[in-house]
Amino acid sequence: MNTPAELRDYLDVGTPVKSRDSPPRPAPPPTKPRSKLPRPTRFLSLQKADTGSDVCCQPIDKKAASEPKGQIKKSQDQARLQPLSNPEQALTKTFKLLHSASDDWEKKIEGLTSLRVMAQNHMDILMPKLHDICLAIINEVKNLRSAVSCAAMATLGDMYVHLQRAMDSEVEGTARVLLHKASEANNFIRQAANFALGHMVQSCTPTRVMNALLVGGLSHRNAAVRSCTAQHLERLAEVMGMARLLSGKKDLTDRFLIAVSKLAVDPAQEVRHHGRNILRNVAPNGDFAKMWDKFAPRKERESLREVISKVNLKERYILSG
């Protein structure tokens, strides 16, 4: 403490100070009368400013405070996603919660959380009404309140992970609304959409996923949606493997190469980046030249040959360097 002002600031946060054995010195007269009540522990109010939550009225959990925030959130999620004692009744209640008034966002989040529990622990309860459930979730993804929208996207992500190929029939409809959310200005919403789409790519039937991505985002007017589509198509290509993609199978190889050709020459740089990454990975495959001559769009072949040439030259330069 170098100055009296710094000492005063230090004491004002409520940190206890031990008394010393030196003789007391007369204190300067206060500038205003002070209350005789004990000074409140003001350091708790600092936590409110850091987190944005009302924690100043709650006791501090020392164990929770010592854990990383991600670990705390994970343990809370695990505690919340325990099996339900009566899942049939819970599903009926969930539909009522999701169809509640649009401004009653807490009930909607409660209903979405209940669906996440059932996706993890009671899949058989969801299957007979899966389409109606997905329609209800899609409606909440569109919710103007970001907390509800993000909760709905997290619910879709859990359903992809736990129901996997049982979600194939719902992939196209759910992917379309998730891709649309990739164009939102809110960063948290974009991240939630990308996480959910990532789970879809990893969990559902690859051909269904590719069809959903191409239908929902390949020709979208918004560059952010096309970029999101290209990003997840790049990941899907890794999941499927280049040999399968270039097998010559109808409605697979042709759609894939036409889509990549379009993405590689897209006006938006972020879209071209992912499209050319896919070309870089697929070009070394032995069947690529044959499939390229068979399926690549004729009007774009010359420009695409230049793109592939540049990609290959850049790759060789990187490897030689």
Side-chain angles (χ1 to χ4, degrees), residues 157-169:
D158 279 5
M159 293 183 71
Y160 292 138
V161 169
H162 297 292
L163 274 63
Q164 297 192 0
R165 299 195 174 197
M167 282 287 290
D168 282 353
S169 59

Side-chain angles (χ1 to χ4, degrees), residues 40-199:
T41 55
R42 291 164 65 181
F43 66 93
L44 292 181
S45 63
L46 298 178
Q47 186 71 13
K48 180 178 179 180
D50 290 339
T51 61
S53 59
D54 190 11
V55 299
C56 59
C57 300
Q58 302 176 3
I60 294 179
D61 185 346
K62 293 183 178 179
K63 181 180 178 182
S66 64
E67 293 179 333
K69 291 182 180 179
Q71 187 66 30
I72 295 171
K73 185 178 186 302
K74 183 178 179 182
S75 62
Q76 288 173 347
D77 286 346
Q78 288 174 343
R80 187 168 61 245
L81 301 181
Q82 295 301 313
L84 301 171
S85 57
N86 191 337
E88 294 90 349
Q89 183 179 352
L91 183 58
T92 302
K93 181 182 177 182
T94 294
F95 276 112
K96 292 180 180 178
L97 291 170
L98 293 179
H99 288 94
S100 58
S102 58
D103 59 344
D104 202 345
W105 61 273
E106 291 180 332
K107 287 185 178 180
K108 291 182 178 292
I109 291 180
E110 181 184 347
L112 291 166
T113 303
S114 180
L115 286 177
R116 295 182 69 184
V117 175
M118 286 184 272
Q120 181 173 336
N121 301 291
H122 309 286
M123 291 179 286
D124 55 322
I125 302 300
L126 298 180
M127 293 309 301
K129 297 184 177 180
L130 184 61
H131 182 64
D132 292 335
I133 290 168
C134 287
L135 289 178
I137 299 172
I138 287 171
N139 192 49
E140 299 310 326
V141 171
K142 299 175 182 178
N143 196 298
L144 297 179
R145 185 176 284 272
S146 59
V148 177
S149 181
C150 287
M153 289 186 276
T155 304
L156 281 179
D158 279 5
M159 293 183 71
Y160 292 138
V161 169
H162 297 292
L163 274 63
Q164 297 192 0
R165 299 195 174 197
M167 282 287 290
D168 282 353
S169 59
E170 306 300 327
V171 159
E172 186 171 330
T174 53
R176 183 181 291 109
V177 70
L178 291 172
L179 287 167
H180 178 75
K181 283 293 176 180
S183 65
E184 292 280 340
N186 188 315
N187 186 49
F188 291 107
I189 290 180
R190 293 199 307 272
Q191 287 182 349
N194 270 298
F195 281 133
L197 287 166
H199 288 312

